[in-house]
Amino acid sequence: MLEELFGPSLENPLLIFLFVVVVATFILKEWFGGRKKDKRGWKNRGRQSQWTPKVVGGDKQADNAAEQLKKVMNADFQSRPLLNKAEAKVFDTLDKAVIARNPNWQVMAQVSLGEFLSCRDKGAFFSVNSKRVDFALMDENCCVVHALEYQGSGHHMGKSAPARDAVKKEALRKAGIGYHEIVAGHTTPSELRALVEKLVRRETR
């Protein structure tokens, strides 16, 4: 076949060499061209190429948000109280006592630790990020100074409850934030007001 294309001159070593170079160039061009296409994320023989770039975080978050929106649109939501009746009574007593002591301070309810704690260790931060304190005393600089936990009748339900409390206590201690417990049936309103007197700085004029 080669003789039909090139004739008797195929016996010339120079022509043979040039023929080999041309064929090799064509093969390499096709090979590396295909690899470049794979690198851009094209499919190869029915399976995803090993060169397909990884999905960046932003795209993954967008996909998650779209999926979450789809679920929310197909579900029904109802409003519910942030606090139960017992917690609401504690909040009312706390709020009045704090305002009387220093109107520049505020009582916050059901606050996630991740909202007022920071940590360079991501693993440690995400260990407390979604955990909440029942009440937080916030000063005039919008800094949480003390955290108060209401120990209701069902607070210690479950074997992991003490461990969860220990995690919160340690994180708060490391941040220099006070931790105090309000025990249902034991802490009276007068004792709660006395605690506020102890914890909240008086307004300075």
Side-chain angles (χ1 to χ4, degrees):
M1 180 179 178
L2 295 178
E3 290 181 354
E4 293 178 359
L5 292 174
F6 295 95
S9 60
L10 182 63
E11 297 178 358
N12 189 324
L14 179 60
L15 291 177
I16 295 175
F17 174 77
L18 292 176
F19 174 78
V20 171
V21 170
V22 171
V23 171
T25 302
F26 176 81
I27 293 174
L28 290 174
K29 183 177 180 181
E30 288 296 311
W31 170 257
F32 284 107
R35 293 292 288 270
K36 288 181 180 179
K37 291 179 181 179
D38 286 345
K39 195 172 182 179
R40 297 189 187 101
W42 288 20
K43 295 287 181 76
N44 183 23
R45 295 184 180 179
R47 63 180 178 85
Q48 193 171 13
S49 168
Q50 61 179 337
W51 293 93
T52 302
K54 294 182 179 180
V55 178
V56 296
D59 293 339
K60 188 174 182 179
Q61 291 178 358
D63 292 341
N64 289 341
E67 184 63 26
Q68 291 169 0
L69 178 58
K70 181 179 178 181
K71 292 179 180 179
V72 169
M73 291 177 66
N74 293 326
D76 294 324
F77 288 86
Q78 297 81 34
S79 175
R80 69 175 185 178
L82 180 63
L83 304 173
N84 60 37
K85 291 182 178 180
E87 292 170 338
K89 289 181 179 179
V90 173
F91 177 84
D92 184 61
T93 303
L94 271 176
D95 192 49
K96 290 177 179 177
V98 168
I99 292 175
R101 180 74 173 174
N102 190 335
N104 294 318
W105 282 46
Q106 298 290 328
V107 180
M108 313 296 291
Q110 300 294 343
V111 186
S112 297
L113 269 65
E115 295 297 325
F116 62 89
L117 294 181
S118 63
C119 182
R120 293 183 179 180
D121 186 325
K122 290 184 178 180
F125 177 78
F126 286 116
S127 295
V128 302
N129 179 45
S130 60
K131 289 181 171 58
R132 296 175 297 177
V133 293
D134 295 322
F135 305 104
L137 301 185
M138 185 177 70
D139 67 11
E140 62 274 5
N141 297 315
C142 296
C143 293
V144 172
V145 184
H146 297 284
L148 290 81
E149 284 284 84
Y150 176 69
Q151 310 289 20
S153 58
H155 180 81
H156 290 296
M157 293 180 63
K159 295 181 179 179
S160 62
R164 292 197 305 270
D165 286 347
V167 172
K168 289 192 287 187
K169 289 179 183 178
E170 181 61 12
L172 292 167
R173 185 189 69 81
K174 288 285 189 71
I177 296 175
Y179 178 90
H180 311 273
E181 293 183 350
I182 303 169
V183 183
H186 292 80
T187 306
T188 65
S190 60
E191 290 174 336
L192 194 55
R193 287 190 289 268
L195 179 63
V196 170
E197 291 285 323
K198 179 182 177 181
L199 301 181
V200 179
R201 297 188 298 268
R202 280 192 178 276
E203 181 183 13
T204 57
R205 296 181 180 178

